[in-house]
Amino acid sequence: MTDLLLIDTAEELHKLPRTADGPRAVVMTMGALHEGHATLIRTARERAGESGQVVVTVFVNPLQFGANEDLDRYPRTLDADLEIARAAGADAVFAPAADEVYPGGDPQVRVSAGPMGERLEGATRPGHFDGMLTVVAKLLHLTRPDLALYGQKDAQQLALIRRMVTDLNFPVEVVGVPTVREEDGLALSSRNRYLSAQERRTALALSRALFAGQDRLAAQAALRARAEASPASDGRATALARLGEIRSAADAHAVSAAGTGLPDAVRAAARHVLEEAGRQDPPLVLDYLALVDPQDFTDVRPDFTGQAVLAVAAKVGTTRLIDNIPLEFGAHT
């Protein structure tokens, strides 16, 4: 298809012909599209190929907003969204009204996010992930894609969608796409437009904290590699101290200790940045900072190895923002 189709009913969507030679890829959004969404759509286009089909959904889902959240003021910019979707390579946009997605009103039967959905974002926003999974399940049924693409920025959401697709046997491949950032490091979000210039300066602490944790991990890992190459470094440190080689002794002690407590060191480095931001004007009000296993979003142990997610959520003014980065903890020897 060369022209972008705008579809607003399930009946029209079901009549949308599939291409014979390529997969259908879906990108689910709540509108207010930005470069992060455009990256998802372009990735979907690449994965589907020219012979495939890319469908973008635009739907502000009331089920995933709490009583005191920003459902009413959430930006709705359909005309601009259509232009971004077209430029990024979408074939169709499905933009239904709420009564089209929930024709009987709020659904009585919903998808439960389970224990993972009660942690971090779920603890702060009770019921949010149940509402999110319910609409994702409905949109997967309605769009019937082969591929569904979601941003890594919403890491807990992505993990829960993967779990739902696995546990409930949805015939779709879930594709995670790395977070897109602005030049100053702030993760792209539709809510960034709420920030004043001063609030934005404070908000930059979220990404700075994550990268500080990443830098600490890299530094500690380098020291650990030296420790593994010099197994007697603690004894060497004591000997150097006796000889008055204080700098060398301190370095040797650091090398010796580098193999332990990596997760705690990462958390501490990130927390230091966030605490400083809490003293700025306006202040950053921290909701959580967590280093978690992406399989279940539980806190990682001090001896953890493998991929983890360093995640943060905070408020600046009246705007709540989230961010995260993946980190790789190597095996201890």
Side-chain angles (χ1 to χ4, degrees):
M1 291 179 288
T2 57
D3 295 327
L4 182 73
L5 298 178
L6 175 60
I7 299 169
D8 58 13
T9 68
E11 182 179 0
E12 290 178 280
L13 183 62
H14 287 152
K15 292 178 181 177
L16 179 66
R18 300 180 70 97
T19 58
D21 301 325
R24 175 182 285 180
V26 67
V27 174
M28 298 181 187
T29 82
M30 291 206 301
L33 302 191
H34 49 64
E35 180 58 25
H37 297 109
T39 298
L40 285 170
I41 298 167
R42 286 194 293 267
T43 305
R45 181 80 274 161
E46 292 169 5
R47 290 293 304 267
E50 289 305 312
S51 60
Q53 189 178 69
V54 175
V55 177
V56 175
T57 69
V58 174
F59 179 64
V60 181
N61 177 33
L63 296 191
Q64 62 195 72
F65 286 81
N68 298 314
E69 294 185 338
D70 59 348
L71 173 62
D72 290 337
R73 71 171 185 142
Y74 195 87
R76 292 161 172 84
T77 57
L78 182 59
D79 289 342
D81 295 344
L82 294 175
E83 289 306 312
I84 291 173
R86 178 184 288 107
D91 296 303
V93 170
F94 178 51
D99 58 3
E100 183 69 25
V101 178
Y102 305 118
D106 284 356
Q108 296 185 39
V109 177
R110 307 188 186 194
V111 177
S112 170
M116 196 197 314
E118 298 171 359
R119 299 173 187 135
L120 299 189
E121 284 297 290
T124 299
R125 306 174 68 188
H128 165 72
F129 285 125
D130 291 356
M132 179 276 294
L133 289 179
T134 298
V135 79
V136 168
K138 293 203 72 164
L139 289 173
L140 287 175
H141 286 310
L142 288 168
T143 58
R144 296 170 295 163
D146 303 290
L147 307 168
L149 293 86
Y150 304 92
Q152 177 64 37
K153 176 180 169 289
D154 297 294
Q156 192 171 4
Q157 170 180 284
L158 175 59
L160 282 162
I161 292 171
R162 289 189 193 280
R163 173 57 61 185
M164 178 184 73
V165 164
T166 298
D167 287 353
L168 301 185
N169 298 102
F170 279 78
V172 63
E173 178 186 350
V174 176
V175 179
V177 178
T179 301
V180 179
R181 300 183 179 277
E182 301 193 35
E183 288 186 5
D184 56 12
L186 188 67
L188 283 173
S189 168
S190 299
R191 292 185 169 95
N192 289 353
R193 68 187 68 195
Y194 299 153
L195 298 169
S196 69
Q198 285 183 305
E199 289 170 343
R200 184 186 173 86
R201 283 193 290 272
T202 297
L204 291 176
L206 273 76
S207 57
R208 285 205 309 268
L210 298 178
F211 293 128
Q214 184 181 59
D215 290 345
R216 177 63 63 86
L217 175 60
Q220 293 289 103
L223 282 173
R224 187 181 64 193
R226 290 174 58 191
E228 291 170 349
S230 305
S233 57
D234 193 48
R236 177 173 176 270
T238 303
L240 285 167
R242 290 195 186 111
L243 292 171
E245 299 285 345
I246 304 301
R247 277 192 173 182
S248 296
D251 180 64
H253 274 301
V255 169
S256 179
T260 60
L262 284 178
D264 289 341
V266 168
R267 291 186 188 98
R271 188 170 294 278
H272 176 71
V273 175
L274 297 168
E275 288 174 349
E276 286 189 340
R279 295 188 287 271
Q280 292 181 6
D281 181 23
L284 180 144
V285 180
L286 183 64
D287 185 347
Y288 61 76
L289 171 70
L291 184 62
V292 297
D293 184 334
Q295 297 302 313
D296 57 11
F297 270 68
T298 56
D299 289 332
V300 302
R301 297 167 57 88
D303 59 350
F304 180 83
T305 61
Q307 189 172 87
V309 172
L310 182 61
V312 63
K315 253 189 175 181
V316 181
T318 60
T319 304
R320 186 174 183 276
L321 300 170
I322 63 172
D323 201 352
N324 72 86
I325 55 171
L327 297 175
E328 187 73 29
F329 288 79
H332 291 270
T333 59

